[in-house]
Amino acid sequence: DVKVTQSSRYLVKRTGEKVFLECVQDMDHENMFWYRQDPGLGLRLIYFSYDVKMKEKGDIPEGYSVSREKKERFSLILESASTNQTSMYLCASSFTSGAPYEQYFGPGTRLTVT
Amino acid sequence: QQQVKQSPQSLIVQKGGISIINCAYENTAFDYFPWYQQFPGKGPALLIAIRPDVSEKKEGRFTISFNKSAKQFSLHIMDSQPGDSATYFCAASKESGGYNKLIFGAGTRLAVHP
């Protein structure tokens, strides 16, 4: 069974804090993704990575950065958290080739910035 | 710019009824159209997917209907059950450089009443 785990289910941070969200997958997937989920907006891609140390901006990268030092781990960093970054954050992973496109999601981290 | 438009935002169906969720897309280069199902407290999971070379795909009670000329696709859930109550996301994707980015619709919250 594919497993994508996220370091926290719930997180409360103060405005201006640096926030780290961690994601680990155990399927040797090449691709990893970070999304944020907001009501009425669906899932929006923040960043993705197709290989170790490689990253690409998604649709809403402003205010975020990422790090992928190992294949199984993909971190999302909020350099200076703001209240408009209060959201559900979802990590996903997938293979590059073969059975295409299925992304496996973690359970999400609900971040509240006060 | 919303590339995948999903409707309705919420849907209430009686047990045994048919649930229908519709999506429309703009980019004719999309070549893969999955539907994801998300239960409360869980990440989305792939439910069923279709490629544009077929007009319909059925898996159990779930059917995708695809209309390439209209750039629309829909999910039909036959004999809807309370256990189908979840949020459903349509998505579209185009493979690019060996990795796939999914563009998600806004989501439909389905409630099946017993």
Side-chain angles (χ1 to χ4, degrees):
Chain A
D1 239 12
V2 176
K3 198 165 184 182
V4 180
T5 57
Q6 296 184 227
S7 53
S8 305
R9 295 300 302 270
Y10 300 94
L11 210 52
V12 180
K13 296 292 182 181
R14 293 189 182 275
T15 301
E17 278 194 84
K18 191 169 186 176
V19 182
F20 293 86
L21 302 182
E22 304 284 334
C23 175
V24 178
Q25 52 95 3
D26 66 357
M27 276 301 291
D28 203 34
H29 286 164
E30 295 89 358
N31 300 329
M32 296 189 75
F33 308 83
W34 275 106
Y35 295 89
R36 64 177 282 176
Q37 180 178 3
D38 300 289
L41 297 177
L43 281 71
R44 293 180 292 165
L45 182 64
I46 304 171
Y47 267 97
F48 68 100
S49 168
Y50 53 90
D51 201 352
V52 175
K53 297 190 185 295
M54 306 304 288
K55 60 186 178 184
E56 291 281 343
K57 291 180 180 179
D59 300 318
I60 51 165
E62 296 78 18
Y64 304 95
S65 62
V66 291
S67 173
R68 193 168 181 198
E69 297 296 319
K70 293 185 178 181
K71 190 174 184 180
E72 69 271 17
R73 189 179 298 270
F74 193 34
S75 301
L76 179 70
I77 303 154
L78 287 67
E79 296 291 342
S80 177
S82 63
T83 54
N84 62 13
Q85 292 179 310
T86 291
S87 185
M88 171 69 82
Y89 289 88
L90 290 163
C91 175
S93 67
S94 75
F95 285 117
T96 292
S97 59
Y101 308 121
E102 179 170 7
Q103 294 187 13
Y104 296 85
F105 285 83
T109 295
R110 185 166 294 281
L111 172 67
T112 302
V113 182
T114 62
Chain B
Q1 183 184 4
Q2 190 177 7
Q3 297 189 52
V4 179
K5 294 184 179 179
Q6 182 172 348
S7 63
Q9 192 170 3
S10 63
L11 182 61
I12 298 173
V13 173
Q14 294 298 313
K15 179 182 175 181
I18 302 173
S19 304
I20 302 174
I21 305 171
N22 300 300
C23 285
Y25 63 97
E26 299 166 5
N27 188 342
T28 55
F30 289 146
D31 61 359
Y32 176 76
F33 301 89
W35 285 87
Y36 280 75
Q37 179 188 53
Q38 183 181 30
F39 293 106
K42 304 285 188 183
L46 179 65
L47 179 64
I48 186 172
I50 196 169
R51 288 195 180 276
D53 53 347
V54 297
S55 60
E56 186 175 282
K57 184 173 181 180
K58 185 175 181 180
E59 290 184 1
R61 296 184 294 107
F62 300 90
T63 300
I64 300 179
S65 297
F66 188 84
N67 186 329
K68 190 174 182 179
S69 60
K71 294 190 286 185
Q72 294 175 347
F73 58 110
S74 59
L75 176 69
H76 294 235
I77 306 174
M78 311 300 288
D79 187 26
S80 299
Q81 299 296 312
D84 297 330
S85 297
T87 300
Y88 293 81
F89 294 97
C90 62
S93 177
K94 177 183 182 301
E95 185 178 11
S96 174
Y99 48 86
N100 53 291
K101 293 198 308 184
L102 289 173
I103 310 297
F104 285 89
T108 297
R109 182 171 290 187
L110 171 66
V112 181
H113 290 178

